Amino acid sequence: MKALVLSGGAGTRLRPFTHTSPKQLVPVANKPVLYYVLEAIAEAGITEVGVVVGDTADEICAAVGDGSRFGLDVTYLPQHAPLGLSHAVLIARDFLGDDDFVMYLGDNFLVGGITPLVEQFTAERPDAQILLTRVSDPTAFGVAELDGHGRVVGLEEKPAKPKSDLALVGVYLFSPAVHEAVRAIRPSARGELEITDAIQWLIDTRHDVRSATVSGYWKDTGNVADMLEANRSVLDGIGAGVEGTVDAGSELVGRVRVEAGAEVRGSRIVGPAVIGAGSVISGSYVGPYTSIAENCRIEDSEIEFSIVLRDSRLDGVRRVQASLIGRNVTVTPAPHTPRAHRLILGDHSKVQIFS
């Protein structure tokens, strides 16, 4: 079995971060989302991986290299434009050959890996297997309709009126039968070759399409809220450890990881949290579910439930929370300026003003 990892999307929902870095490389617990994908593939015993890349190919290639650090052999497959998941399968035809393969979206986060799924597919060998999970807003996803026996009977991409709350998770397993399907379909109203249309073609032509419901944690990390939730999930599983230095005036509460070369001085850190290599936390409070990347400085500040990317600085700022702060960012207090309230009030008014 081979793997096809899709890393060519534009990441519009994560702008402005994706103006300067691929969405697949935004870190969760100080490790890029794409690394979790590649590690899961390697753990499943798959070694040959095709990575579909687009405009951010240089950054992806620099981060992943030849794949040897993950125990993988990586081949890069250029895609001139993000024209749909089925289009990615089309351009990967020569790489995939006649092998079964798992297709994994490079910005998806699935706790627990894919090993059991790959083993089940290899043993039973249906033509396709999709993963489903219940979501609160199915209109944002591909949606599956099941019959009374749990068989997949219909799929729709981002439907206005979903027939179920079962969304497709960004992991698919295919036999070579999918190649005929992606050649048979036409672009959707969005102008893309949808993988849901290809799977629907397999269903309509009486191929064996199966589904499994994901009970564990899954996130499409395409927006800031989901990135923070994925970060929360990973940090829930970290162990405490201090490889850097923590002075006597500091307090670490719960599961806090201080990486090599990091310094904590006169600060309180409440876990789960991770402080990246070379970062300095001084006179500050770092609250739960916070990831501080490498070479950051947090001074006389408070931050919680946030992700701070490398080489950034917070100096003298009060509580920052639920935030995603990019690379080489500086956050400081606004200068003090005279403030005034201009009021036009009717009779018998009651007004409360912070002053």
Side-chain angles (χ1 to χ4, degrees), residues 176-212:
V178 74
H179 296 300
E180 184 179 2
V182 297
R183 290 195 304 268
I185 63 173
R186 295 292 176 265
S188 67
R190 301 194 305 162
E192 296 187 5
L193 291 172
E194 311 285 4
I195 198 66
T196 45
D197 289 343
I199 299 171
Q200 185 67 55
W201 185 91
L202 290 173
I203 295 170
D204 294 341
T205 53
R206 300 186 181 280
H207 285 77
D208 185 6
V209 176
R210 303 184 188 181
S211 69

PDB file of all heavy atoms in Angstrom, residues 176-212:
ATOM      1  N   PRO A 176      -7.347   0.268  -6.727  1.00  0.00           N
ATOM      2  CA  PRO A 176      -7.156   0.901  -8.035  1.00  0.00           C
ATOM      3  C   PRO A 176      -8.456   1.225  -8.765  1.00  0.00           C
ATOM      4  O   PRO A 176      -8.428   1.963  -9.763  1.00  0.00           O
ATOM      5  CB  PRO A 176      -6.327  -0.139  -8.807  1.00  0.00           C
ATOM      6  CG  PRO A 176      -5.628  -0.925  -7.758  1.00  0.00           C
ATOM      7  CD  PRO A 176      -6.588  -0.997  -6.616  1.00  0.00           C
ATOM      8  N   ALA A 177      -9.597   0.719  -8.288  1.00  0.00           N
ATOM      9  CA  ALA A 177     -10.877   1.018  -8.940  1.00  0.00           C
ATOM     10  C   ALA A 177     -11.166   2.513  -8.967  1.00  0.00           C
ATOM     11  O   ALA A 177     -11.917   2.994  -9.831  1.00  0.00           O
ATOM     12  CB  ALA A 177     -12.008   0.276  -8.223  1.00  0.00           C
ATOM     13  N   VAL A 178     -10.589   3.274  -8.044  1.00  0.00           N
ATOM     14  CA  VAL A 178     -10.887   4.700  -7.984  1.00  0.00           C
ATOM     15  C   VAL A 178     -10.359   5.444  -9.206  1.00  0.00           C
ATOM     16  O   VAL A 178     -10.861   6.523  -9.550  1.00  0.00           O
ATOM     17  CB  VAL A 178     -10.314   5.312  -6.686  1.00  0.00           C
ATOM     18  CG1 VAL A 178      -8.793   5.454  -6.767  1.00  0.00           C
ATOM     19  CG2 VAL A 178     -10.945   6.662  -6.393  1.00  0.00           C
ATOM     20  N   HIS A 179      -9.353   4.907  -9.883  1.00  0.00           N
ATOM     21  CA  HIS A 179      -8.789   5.609 -11.030  1.00  0.00           C
ATOM     22  C   HIS A 179      -9.812   5.735 -12.161  1.00  0.00           C
ATOM     23  O   HIS A 179      -9.861   6.766 -12.848  1.00  0.00           O
ATOM     24  CB  HIS A 179      -7.528   4.900 -11.517  1.00  0.00           C
ATOM     25  CG  HIS A 179      -6.420   4.907 -10.506  1.00  0.00           C
ATOM     26  ND1 HIS A 179      -5.870   6.066 -10.022  1.00  0.00           N
ATOM     27  CD2 HIS A 179      -5.783   3.881  -9.861  1.00  0.00           C
ATOM     28  CE1 HIS A 179      -4.923   5.771  -9.135  1.00  0.00           C
ATOM     29  NE2 HIS A 179      -4.862   4.452  -9.020  1.00  0.00           N
ATOM     30  N   GLU A 180     -10.615   4.709 -12.366  1.00  0.00           N
ATOM     31  CA  GLU A 180     -11.682   4.804 -13.366  1.00  0.00           C
ATOM     32  C   GLU A 180     -12.728   5.817 -12.923  1.00  0.00           C
ATOM     33  O   GLU A 180     -13.262   6.579 -13.744  1.00  0.00           O
ATOM     34  CB  GLU A 180     -12.332   3.437 -13.579  1.00  0.00           C
ATOM     35  CG  GLU A 180     -13.392   3.430 -14.681  1.00  0.00           C
ATOM     36  CD  GLU A 180     -14.008   2.068 -14.901  1.00  0.00           C
ATOM     37  OE1 GLU A 180     -13.661   1.106 -14.176  1.00  0.00           O
ATOM     38  OE2 GLU A 180     -14.865   1.959 -15.816  1.00  0.00           O
ATOM     39  N   ALA A 181     -12.990   5.876 -11.636  1.00  0.00           N
ATOM     40  CA  ALA A 181     -13.989   6.802 -11.119  1.00  0.00           C
ATOM     41  C   ALA A 181     -13.573   8.255 -11.318  1.00  0.00           C
ATOM     42  O   ALA A 181     -14.397   9.098 -11.744  1.00  0.00           O
ATOM     43  CB  ALA A 181     -14.233   6.523  -9.639  1.00  0.00           C
ATOM     44  N   VAL A 182     -12.325   8.602 -11.014  1.00  0.00           N
ATOM     45  CA  VAL A 182     -11.910  10.003 -11.134  1.00  0.00           C
ATOM     46  C   VAL A 182     -11.841  10.433 -12.595  1.00  0.00           C
ATOM     47  O   VAL A 182     -11.965  11.629 -12.903  1.00  0.00           O
ATOM     48  CB  VAL A 182     -10.566  10.259 -10.427  1.00  0.00           C
ATOM     49  CG1 VAL A 182     -10.698  10.006  -8.931  1.00  0.00           C
ATOM     50  CG2 VAL A 182      -9.431   9.440 -11.017  1.00  0.00           C
ATOM     51  N   ARG A 183     -11.660   9.470 -13.509  1.00  0.00           N
ATOM     52  CA  ARG A 183     -11.685   9.812 -14.935  1.00  0.00           C
ATOM     53  C   ARG A 183     -13.108   9.989 -15.457  1.00  0.00           C
ATOM     54  O   ARG A 183     -13.325  10.688 -16.457  1.00  0.00           O
ATOM     55  CB  ARG A 183     -10.975   8.733 -15.751  1.00  0.00           C
ATOM     56  CG  ARG A 183      -9.470   8.671 -15.556  1.00  0.00           C
ATOM     57  CD  ARG A 183      -8.805   7.833 -16.651  1.00  0.00           C
ATOM     58  NE  ARG A 183      -9.363   6.486 -16.715  1.00  0.00           N
ATOM     59  CZ  ARG A 183      -8.870   5.444 -16.052  1.00  0.00           C
ATOM     60  NH1 ARG A 183      -7.815   5.605 -15.243  1.00  0.00           N
ATOM     61  NH2 ARG A 183      -9.407   4.243 -16.171  1.00  0.00           N
ATOM     62  N   ALA A 184     -14.062   9.395 -14.768  1.00  0.00           N
ATOM     63  CA  ALA A 184     -15.443   9.404 -15.261  1.00  0.00           C
ATOM     64  C   ALA A 184     -16.221  10.650 -14.861  1.00  0.00           C
ATOM     65  O   ALA A 184     -17.217  10.986 -15.494  1.00  0.00           O
ATOM     66  CB  ALA A 184     -16.179   8.156 -14.753  1.00  0.00           C
ATOM     67  N   ILE A 185     -15.807  11.336 -13.812  1.00  0.00           N
ATOM     68  CA  ILE A 185     -16.603  12.459 -13.301  1.00  0.00           C
ATOM     69  C   ILE A 185     -16.239  13.766 -14.000  1.00  0.00           C
ATOM     70  O   ILE A 185     -15.223  13.864 -14.685  1.00  0.00           O
ATOM     71  CB  ILE A 185     -16.423  12.607 -11.778  1.00  0.00           C
ATOM     72  CG1 ILE A 185     -14.962  12.926 -11.438  1.00  0.00           C
ATOM     73  CG2 ILE A 185     -16.885  11.337 -11.062  1.00  0.00           C
ATOM     74  CD1 ILE A 185     -14.732  13.262  -9.977  1.00  0.00           C
ATOM     75  N   ARG A 186     -17.071  14.769 -13.794  1.00  0.00           N
ATOM     76  CA  ARG A 186     -16.858  16.103 -14.353  1.00  0.00           C
ATOM     77  C   ARG A 186     -16.759  17.105 -13.216  1.00  0.00           C
ATOM     78  O   ARG A 186     -17.231  16.852 -12.114  1.00  0.00           O
ATOM     79  CB  ARG A 186     -18.017  16.469 -15.292  1.00  0.00           C
ATOM     80  CG  ARG A 186     -18.113  15.580 -16.531  1.00  0.00           C
ATOM     81  CD  ARG A 186     -16.913  15.830 -17.459  1.00  0.00           C
ATOM     82  NE  ARG A 186     -16.921  14.930 -18.632  1.00  0.00           N
ATOM     83  CZ  ARG A 186     -16.256  13.796 -18.694  1.00  0.00           C
ATOM     84  NH1 ARG A 186     -15.538  13.392 -17.657  1.00  0.00           N
ATOM     85  NH2 ARG A 186     -16.300  13.054 -19.772  1.00  0.00           N
ATOM     86  N   PRO A 187     -16.176  18.290 -13.491  1.00  0.00           N
ATOM     87  CA  PRO A 187     -16.060  19.293 -12.421  1.00  0.00           C
ATOM     88  C   PRO A 187     -17.415  19.676 -11.846  1.00  0.00           C
ATOM     89  O   PRO A 187     -18.421  19.740 -12.561  1.00  0.00           O
ATOM     90  CB  PRO A 187     -15.393  20.486 -13.133  1.00  0.00           C
ATOM     91  CG  PRO A 187     -14.636  19.869 -14.267  1.00  0.00           C
ATOM     92  CD  PRO A 187     -15.490  18.718 -14.729  1.00  0.00           C
ATOM     93  N   SER A 188     -17.429  19.951 -10.553  1.00  0.00           N
ATOM     94  CA  SER A 188     -18.646  20.376  -9.857  1.00  0.00           C
ATOM     95  C   SER A 188     -18.916  21.843 -10.119  1.00  0.00           C
ATOM     96  O   SER A 188     -18.176  22.520 -10.849  1.00  0.00           O
ATOM     97  CB  SER A 188     -18.473  20.151  -8.356  1.00  0.00           C
ATOM     98  OG  SER A 188     -17.473  21.027  -7.848  1.00  0.00           O
ATOM     99  N   ALA A 189     -19.970  22.351  -9.498  1.00  0.00           N
ATOM    100  CA  ALA A 189     -20.298  23.772  -9.633  1.00  0.00           C
ATOM    101  C   ALA A 189     -19.179  24.652  -9.089  1.00  0.00           C
ATOM    102  O   ALA A 189     -19.050  25.817  -9.474  1.00  0.00           O
ATOM    103  CB  ALA A 189     -21.602  24.068  -8.900  1.00  0.00           C
ATOM    104  N   ARG A 190     -18.363  24.105  -8.197  1.00  0.00           N
ATOM    105  CA  ARG A 190     -17.225  24.847  -7.658  1.00  0.00           C
ATOM    106  C   ARG A 190     -16.024  24.839  -8.609  1.00  0.00           C
ATOM    107  O   ARG A 190     -15.001  25.462  -8.333  1.00  0.00           O
ATOM    108  CB  ARG A 190     -16.774  24.262  -6.317  1.00  0.00           C
ATOM    109  CG  ARG A 190     -17.840  24.260  -5.250  1.00  0.00           C
ATOM    110  CD  ARG A 190     -17.229  23.985  -3.886  1.00  0.00           C
ATOM    111  NE  ARG A 190     -16.451  22.741  -3.840  1.00  0.00           N
ATOM    112  CZ  ARG A 190     -15.562  22.463  -2.905  1.00  0.00           C
ATOM    113  NH1 ARG A 190     -15.298  23.348  -1.955  1.00  0.00           N
ATOM    114  NH2 ARG A 190     -14.915  21.303  -2.900  1.00  0.00           N
ATOM    115  N   GLY A 191     -16.162  24.098  -9.716  1.00  0.00           N
ATOM    116  CA  GLY A 191     -15.056  23.996 -10.656  1.00  0.00           C
ATOM    117  C   GLY A 191     -14.004  22.994 -10.257  1.00  0.00           C
ATOM    118  O   GLY A 191     -12.893  23.004 -10.789  1.00  0.00           O
ATOM    119  N   GLU A 192     -14.340  22.088  -9.313  1.00  0.00           N
ATOM    120  CA  GLU A 192     -13.380  21.110  -8.835  1.00  0.00           C
ATOM    121  C   GLU A 192     -13.848  19.691  -9.135  1.00  0.00           C
ATOM    122  O   GLU A 192     -15.051  19.436  -9.246  1.00  0.00           O
ATOM    123  CB  GLU A 192     -13.167  21.263  -7.324  1.00  0.00           C
ATOM    124  CG  GLU A 192     -12.556  22.606  -6.935  1.00  0.00           C
ATOM    125  CD  GLU A 192     -12.203  22.673  -5.465  1.00  0.00           C
ATOM    126  OE1 GLU A 192     -12.337  21.639  -4.769  1.00  0.00           O
ATOM    127  OE2 GLU A 192     -11.801  23.751  -4.997  1.00  0.00           O
ATOM    128  N   LEU A 193     -12.886  18.796  -9.238  1.00  0.00           N
ATOM    129  CA  LEU A 193     -13.194  17.373  -9.355  1.00  0.00           C
ATOM    130  C   LEU A 193     -13.302  16.821  -7.936  1.00  0.00           C
ATOM    131  O   LEU A 193     -12.290  16.614  -7.266  1.00  0.00           O
ATOM    132  CB  LEU A 193     -12.103  16.650 -10.144  1.00  0.00           C
ATOM    133  CG  LEU A 193     -12.023  16.989 -11.638  1.00  0.00           C
ATOM    134  CD1 LEU A 193     -10.787  16.364 -12.269  1.00  0.00           C
ATOM    135  CD2 LEU A 193     -13.283  16.529 -12.362  1.00  0.00           C
ATOM    136  N   GLU A 194     -14.531  16.623  -7.487  1.00  0.00           N
ATOM    137  CA  GLU A 194     -14.781  16.273  -6.083  1.00  0.00           C
ATOM    138  C   GLU A 194     -14.555  14.783  -5.852  1.00  0.00           C
ATOM    139  O   GLU A 194     -14.988  13.943  -6.639  1.00  0.00           O
ATOM    140  CB  GLU A 194     -16.227  16.619  -5.700  1.00  0.00           C
ATOM    141  CG  GLU A 194     -16.670  18.022  -6.093  1.00  0.00           C
ATOM    142  CD  GLU A 194     -16.101  19.107  -5.195  1.00  0.00           C
ATOM    143  OE1 GLU A 194     -15.294  18.784  -4.297  1.00  0.00           O
ATOM    144  OE2 GLU A 194     -16.456  20.285  -5.391  1.00  0.00           O
ATOM    145  N   ILE A 195     -13.920  14.464  -4.745  1.00  0.00           N
ATOM    146  CA  ILE A 195     -13.738  13.050  -4.397  1.00  0.00           C
ATOM    147  C   ILE A 195     -15.071  12.420  -4.025  1.00  0.00           C
ATOM    148  O   ILE A 195     -15.285  11.218  -4.226  1.00  0.00           O
ATOM    149  CB  ILE A 195     -12.705  12.887  -3.259  1.00  0.00           C
ATOM    150  CG1 ILE A 195     -12.204  11.442  -3.216  1.00  0.00           C
ATOM    151  CG2 ILE A 195     -13.279  13.315  -1.917  1.00  0.00           C
ATOM    152  CD1 ILE A 195     -11.414  11.008  -4.426  1.00  0.00           C
ATOM    153  N   THR A 196     -16.001  13.224  -3.513  1.00  0.00           N
ATOM    154  CA  THR A 196     -17.331  12.687  -3.210  1.00  0.00           C
ATOM    155  C   THR A 196     -18.036  12.214  -4.479  1.00  0.00           C
ATOM    156  O   THR A 196     -18.743  11.205  -4.456  1.00  0.00           O
ATOM    157  CB  THR A 196     -18.182  13.752  -2.504  1.00  0.00           C
ATOM    158  OG1 THR A 196     -18.041  15.006  -3.181  1.00  0.00           O
ATOM    159  CG2 THR A 196     -17.780  13.925  -1.055  1.00  0.00           C
ATOM    160  N   ASP A 197     -17.840  12.932  -5.584  1.00  0.00           N
ATOM    161  CA  ASP A 197     -18.444  12.506  -6.846  1.00  0.00           C
ATOM    162  C   ASP A 197     -17.821  11.200  -7.338  1.00  0.00           C
ATOM    163  O   ASP A 197     -18.513  10.326  -7.886  1.00  0.00           O
ATOM    164  CB  ASP A 197     -18.275  13.590  -7.910  1.00  0.00           C
ATOM    165  CG  ASP A 197     -19.136  14.812  -7.651  1.00  0.00           C
ATOM    166  OD1 ASP A 197     -20.089  14.712  -6.846  1.00  0.00           O
ATOM    167  OD2 ASP A 197     -18.862  15.873  -8.233  1.00  0.00           O
ATOM    168  N   ALA A 198     -16.511  11.056  -7.140  1.00  0.00           N
ATOM    169  CA  ALA A 198     -15.849   9.818  -7.559  1.00  0.00           C
ATOM    170  C   ALA A 198     -16.334   8.634  -6.724  1.00  0.00           C
ATOM    171  O   ALA A 198     -16.592   7.542  -7.264  1.00  0.00           O
ATOM    172  CB  ALA A 198     -14.337   9.975  -7.431  1.00  0.00           C
ATOM    173  N   ILE A 199     -16.483   8.843  -5.425  1.00  0.00           N
ATOM    174  CA  ILE A 199     -16.977   7.752  -4.571  1.00  0.00           C
ATOM    175  C   ILE A 199     -18.430   7.436  -4.903  1.00  0.00           C
ATOM    176  O   ILE A 199     -18.845   6.269  -4.911  1.00  0.00           O
ATOM    177  CB  ILE A 199     -16.805   8.120  -3.087  1.00  0.00           C
ATOM    178  CG1 ILE A 199     -15.325   8.343  -2.764  1.00  0.00           C
ATOM    179  CG2 ILE A 199     -17.368   7.013  -2.182  1.00  0.00           C
ATOM    180  CD1 ILE A 199     -15.071   8.924  -1.394  1.00  0.00           C
ATOM    181  N   GLN A 200     -19.225   8.486  -5.206  1.00  0.00           N
ATOM    182  CA  GLN A 200     -20.609   8.256  -5.614  1.00  0.00           C
ATOM    183  C   GLN A 200     -20.663   7.435  -6.901  1.00  0.00           C
ATOM    184  O   GLN A 200     -21.530   6.558  -7.057  1.00  0.00           O
ATOM    185  CB  GLN A 200     -21.324   9.591  -5.813  1.00  0.00           C
ATOM    186  CG  GLN A 200     -22.815   9.461  -6.133  1.00  0.00           C
ATOM    187  CD  GLN A 200     -23.599   8.901  -4.962  1.00  0.00           C
ATOM    188  OE1 GLN A 200     -23.543   9.435  -3.862  1.00  0.00           O
ATOM    189  NE2 GLN A 200     -24.323   7.805  -5.199  1.00  0.00           N
ATOM    190  N   TRP A 201     -19.730   7.692  -7.816  1.00  0.00           N
ATOM    191  CA  TRP A 201     -19.660   6.907  -9.053  1.00  0.00           C
ATOM    192  C   TRP A 201     -19.392   5.443  -8.719  1.00  0.00           C
ATOM    193  O   TRP A 201     -19.990   4.543  -9.325  1.00  0.00           O
ATOM    194  CB  TRP A 201     -18.563   7.453  -9.960  1.00  0.00           C
ATOM    195  CG  TRP A 201     -18.492   6.797 -11.315  1.00  0.00           C
ATOM    196  CD1 TRP A 201     -19.125   7.181 -12.453  1.00  0.00           C
ATOM    197  CD2 TRP A 201     -17.733   5.630 -11.650  1.00  0.00           C
ATOM    198  NE1 TRP A 201     -18.817   6.334 -13.489  1.00  0.00           N
ATOM    199  CE2 TRP A 201     -17.961   5.363 -13.026  1.00  0.00           C
ATOM    200  CE3 TRP A 201     -16.889   4.781 -10.939  1.00  0.00           C
ATOM    201  CZ2 TRP A 201     -17.370   4.295 -13.692  1.00  0.00           C
ATOM    202  CZ3 TRP A 201     -16.306   3.707 -11.597  1.00  0.00           C
ATOM    203  CH2 TRP A 201     -16.543   3.471 -12.953  1.00  0.00           C
ATOM    204  N   LEU A 202     -18.522   5.184  -7.768  1.00  0.00           N
ATOM    205  CA  LEU A 202     -18.248   3.800  -7.355  1.00  0.00           C
ATOM    206  C   LEU A 202     -19.508   3.148  -6.778  1.00  0.00           C
ATOM    207  O   LEU A 202     -19.806   1.978  -7.060  1.00  0.00           O
ATOM    208  CB  LEU A 202     -17.129   3.767  -6.317  1.00  0.00           C
ATOM    209  CG  LEU A 202     -15.719   4.115  -6.805  1.00  0.00           C
ATOM    210  CD1 LEU A 202     -14.760   4.216  -5.617  1.00  0.00           C
ATOM    211  CD2 LEU A 202     -15.217   3.080  -7.809  1.00  0.00           C
ATOM    212  N   ILE A 203     -20.246   3.915  -5.981  1.00  0.00           N
ATOM    213  CA  ILE A 203     -21.491   3.388  -5.407  1.00  0.00           C
ATOM    214  C   ILE A 203     -22.490   3.065  -6.516  1.00  0.00           C
ATOM    215  O   ILE A 203     -23.101   1.987  -6.541  1.00  0.00           O
ATOM    216  CB  ILE A 203     -22.096   4.398  -4.417  1.00  0.00           C
ATOM    217  CG1 ILE A 203     -21.169   4.579  -3.209  1.00  0.00           C
ATOM    218  CG2 ILE A 203     -23.486   3.948  -3.964  1.00  0.00           C
ATOM    219  CD1 ILE A 203     -21.559   5.726  -2.309  1.00  0.00           C
ATOM    220  N   ASP A 204     -22.657   4.010  -7.443  1.00  0.00           N
ATOM    221  CA  ASP A 204     -23.640   3.848  -8.524  1.00  0.00           C
ATOM    222  C   ASP A 204     -23.302   2.692  -9.449  1.00  0.00           C
ATOM    223  O   ASP A 204     -24.198   2.096 -10.068  1.00  0.00           O
ATOM    224  CB  ASP A 204     -23.757   5.141  -9.333  1.00  0.00           C
ATOM    225  CG  ASP A 204     -24.344   6.289  -8.524  1.00  0.00           C
ATOM    226  OD1 ASP A 204     -24.989   6.016  -7.488  1.00  0.00           O
ATOM    227  OD2 ASP A 204     -24.152   7.452  -8.927  1.00  0.00           O
ATOM    228  N   THR A 205     -22.032   2.384  -9.583  1.00  0.00           N
ATOM    229  CA  THR A 205     -21.606   1.285 -10.454  1.00  0.00           C
ATOM    230  C   THR A 205     -21.387  -0.014  -9.674  1.00  0.00           C
ATOM    231  O   THR A 205     -20.696  -0.927 -10.149  1.00  0.00           O
ATOM    232  CB  THR A 205     -20.319   1.673 -11.217  1.00  0.00           C
ATOM    233  OG1 THR A 205     -19.322   2.114 -10.282  1.00  0.00           O
ATOM    234  CG2 THR A 205     -20.604   2.790 -12.218  1.00  0.00           C
ATOM    235  N   ARG A 206     -21.975  -0.062  -8.474  1.00  0.00           N
ATOM    236  CA  ARG A 206     -22.036  -1.271  -7.648  1.00  0.00           C
ATOM    237  C   ARG A 206     -20.659  -1.768  -7.179  1.00  0.00           C
ATOM    238  O   ARG A 206     -20.436  -2.970  -7.046  1.00  0.00           O
ATOM    239  CB  ARG A 206     -22.799  -2.387  -8.375  1.00  0.00           C
ATOM    240  CG  ARG A 206     -24.236  -2.014  -8.702  1.00  0.00           C
ATOM    241  CD  ARG A 206     -25.010  -3.179  -9.290  1.00  0.00           C
ATOM    242  NE  ARG A 206     -26.371  -2.799  -9.626  1.00  0.00           N
ATOM    243  CZ  ARG A 206     -27.373  -2.706  -8.745  1.00  0.00           C
ATOM    244  NH1 ARG A 206     -27.140  -2.991  -7.473  1.00  0.00           N
ATOM    245  NH2 ARG A 206     -28.579  -2.349  -9.129  1.00  0.00           N
ATOM    246  N   HIS A 207     -19.769  -0.836  -6.940  1.00  0.00           N
ATOM    247  CA  HIS A 207     -18.515  -1.205  -6.297  1.00  0.00           C
ATOM    248  C   HIS A 207     -18.733  -1.273  -4.783  1.00  0.00           C
ATOM    249  O   HIS A 207     -19.714  -0.741  -4.252  1.00  0.00           O
ATOM    250  CB  HIS A 207     -17.425  -0.187  -6.627  1.00  0.00           C
ATOM    251  CG  HIS A 207     -16.896  -0.310  -8.023  1.00  0.00           C
ATOM    252  ND1 HIS A 207     -17.592   0.152  -9.124  1.00  0.00           N
ATOM    253  CD2 HIS A 207     -15.723  -0.840  -8.503  1.00  0.00           C
ATOM    254  CE1 HIS A 207     -16.885  -0.071 -10.220  1.00  0.00           C
ATOM    255  NE2 HIS A 207     -15.757  -0.671  -9.875  1.00  0.00           N
ATOM    256  N   ASP A 208     -17.815  -1.909  -4.111  1.00  0.00           N
ATOM    257  CA  ASP A 208     -17.920  -2.109  -2.670  1.00  0.00           C
ATOM    258  C   ASP A 208     -17.331  -0.900  -1.934  1.00  0.00           C
ATOM    259  O   ASP A 208     -16.110  -0.750  -1.831  1.00  0.00           O
ATOM    260  CB  ASP A 208     -17.173  -3.394  -2.281  1.00  0.00           C
ATOM    261  CG  ASP A 208     -17.334  -3.745  -0.798  1.00  0.00           C
ATOM    262  OD1 ASP A 208     -18.113  -3.067  -0.103  1.00  0.00           O
ATOM    263  OD2 ASP A 208     -16.678  -4.706  -0.347  1.00  0.00           O
ATOM    264  N   VAL A 209     -18.233  -0.034  -1.446  1.00  0.00           N
ATOM    265  CA  VAL A 209     -17.813   1.168  -0.709  1.00  0.00           C
ATOM    266  C   VAL A 209     -18.280   1.022   0.737  1.00  0.00           C
ATOM    267  O   VAL A 209     -19.473   0.844   0.991  1.00  0.00           O
ATOM    268  CB  VAL A 209     -18.393   2.447  -1.331  1.00  0.00           C
ATOM    269  CG1 VAL A 209     -18.007   3.667  -0.487  1.00  0.00           C
ATOM    270  CG2 VAL A 209     -17.907   2.609  -2.764  1.00  0.00           C
ATOM    271  N   ARG A 210     -17.344   1.082   1.656  1.00  0.00           N
ATOM    272  CA  ARG A 210     -17.678   0.905   3.066  1.00  0.00           C
ATOM    273  C   ARG A 210     -17.336   2.166   3.864  1.00  0.00           C
ATOM    274  O   ARG A 210     -16.608   3.042   3.395  1.00  0.00           O
ATOM    275  CB  ARG A 210     -16.919  -0.300   3.636  1.00  0.00           C
ATOM    276  CG  ARG A 210     -17.204  -1.578   2.866  1.00  0.00           C
ATOM    277  CD  ARG A 210     -16.532  -2.779   3.487  1.00  0.00           C
ATOM    278  NE  ARG A 210     -16.661  -3.958   2.641  1.00  0.00           N
ATOM    279  CZ  ARG A 210     -16.181  -5.156   2.951  1.00  0.00           C
ATOM    280  NH1 ARG A 210     -15.536  -5.336   4.103  1.00  0.00           N
ATOM    281  NH2 ARG A 210     -16.332  -6.167   2.123  1.00  0.00           N
ATOM    282  N   SER A 211     -17.869   2.218   5.063  1.00  0.00           N
ATOM    283  CA  SER A 211     -17.601   3.369   5.925  1.00  0.00           C
ATOM    284  C   SER A 211     -17.309   2.895   7.340  1.00  0.00           C
ATOM    285  O   SER A 211     -17.703   1.801   7.743  1.00  0.00           O
ATOM    286  CB  SER A 211     -18.796   4.330   5.938  1.00  0.00           C
ATOM    287  OG  SER A 211     -19.904   3.744   6.608  1.00  0.00           O
ATOM    288  N   ALA A 212     -16.609   3.757   8.059  1.00  0.00           N
ATOM    289  CA  ALA A 212     -16.361   3.538   9.477  1.00  0.00           C
ATOM    290  C   ALA A 212     -16.524   4.883  10.170  1.00  0.00           C
ATOM    291  O   ALA A 212     -16.165   5.916   9.613  1.00  0.00           O
ATOM    292  CB  ALA A 212     -14.961   2.985   9.712  1.00  0.00           C
TER     293      ALA A 212
END
